[in-house]
Amino acid sequence: MQLSTLARHTLSRGATPAATYALLARLGHKPVPCAQAVCLALDIPLPDITRRLDECHDALLANPRPNTEADTGEVLEALGVFDVPATLTPTQHTVIALLTTAVNAHGNLRPGHHHGLQRWFTTGNLTTAYLSLATTNPLPRTDDPTLYWTTLTTAGELLTTTPNPDPRLTYALTHCRTQATRT
């Protein structure tokens, strides 16, 4: 049986991508083919798979330790290796561009926050990305607070035009508008 077929079957039975990776690795398969199989089973495009695995190969997959398959699977999942890319609308692409502008205007976003944003962009979870930025204050000496808040305001206005917008967007958008008038 091909690894990707086994991975697809395991996922269809309710296993997480991390647990699926661990199962394949425990069966004696090498780490890279196991991770590739899980990604293929999730219908992640091959160029994305290659890029994602190249980014973590040396740290996680090059020299596997015995009995660490579950841990490796969980780290791969936490890094976003198994994130399924969403099909984005033109409006969503615009929102991502605006949020990226806001991130750049922030000037001092923590690496973990930046990583989370990238994962939300990939998976199309733009409301969560927006809400996380709306609660993050830029530092006035290292960034552009005016650009930050006005860009977030524009992104929030776009997000509220989507079908069934999250009710939390209204409060966050009001907050961003208020901050934009203060800078």
Side-chain angles (χ1 to χ4, degrees), residues 9-152:
H9 175 73
T10 305
L11 291 165
S12 74
R13 306 281 301 196
T16 65
T20 302
Y21 168 87
L23 171 72
L24 298 176
R26 282 190 202 110
L27 291 174
H29 301 287
K30 294 189 182 288
V32 172
C34 292
Q36 287 172 332
V38 175
C39 290
L40 288 170
L42 292 168
D43 295 323
I44 297 171
L46 192 55
D48 284 349
I49 295 170
T50 302
R51 179 187 50 77
R52 293 175 188 190
L53 294 181
D54 285 348
E55 289 174 358
C56 66
H57 179 268
D58 292 343
L60 285 173
L61 304 173
N63 298 308
R65 292 184 185 169
N67 303 317
T68 61
E69 298 87 356
D71 293 338
T72 301
E74 288 183 20
V75 172
L76 290 169
E77 193 166 310
L79 289 173
V81 171
F82 303 135
D83 286 352
V84 178
T87 302
L88 302 173
T89 66
T91 300
Q92 289 174 311
H93 282 291
T94 302
V95 169
I96 289 173
L98 289 165
L99 296 179
T100 300
T101 299
V103 167
N104 293 334
H106 185 279
N108 194 26
L109 204 62
R110 294 175 291 114
H113 193 174
H114 194 272
H115 174 72
L117 288 168
Q118 291 304 316
R119 292 190 67 193
W120 293 324
F121 294 167
T122 298
T123 59
N125 195 348
L126 303 185
T127 296
T128 302
Y130 177 79
L131 293 172
S132 76
L133 288 171
T135 60
T136 305
N137 291 317
L139 300 174
R141 286 176 266 137
T142 61
D143 51 27
D144 187 346
T146 302
L147 179 61
Y148 182 76
W149 293 115
T150 57
T151 304
L152 284 181

